[in-house]
Amino acid sequence: MKVTADQDICASSGQCVGFAPRVFDQRDEDGVVVVLDENPPAELAEAVREAARSCPSGAIKIVEE
């Protein structure tokens, strides 16, 4: 699994951080998503998928490898 986030379309909702805080964070100044781990371990895969599904702007993309 490879995770990316488009910071240009991020809505700063924080949904991703709520579902997968070991994979996502938000910038302090504007709340835009930051990917902490582009290749998260298998045990976090479902949480990352849920974060992507819950993203209101569709900024989070997952490529299954």
Side-chain angles (χ1 to χ4, degrees), residues 23-52:
V23 179
F24 302 103
D25 198 359
Q26 292 177 278
R27 294 189 307 216
D28 290 334
E29 63 272 15
D30 57 8
V32 170
V33 66
V34 176
V35 178
L36 300 175
D37 187 350
E38 292 182 349
N39 297 291
E43 65 265 15
L44 298 179
E46 190 51 41
V48 172
R49 288 185 193 103
E50 188 61 33

Side-chain angles (χ1 to χ4, degrees), residues 5-26:
D6 186 339
Q7 293 181 329
D8 293 331
I9 65 170
C10 176
S12 303
S13 71
Q15 295 292 323
C16 54
V17 177
F19 284 106
R22 288 177 43 199
V23 179
F24 302 103
D25 198 359
Q26 292 177 278

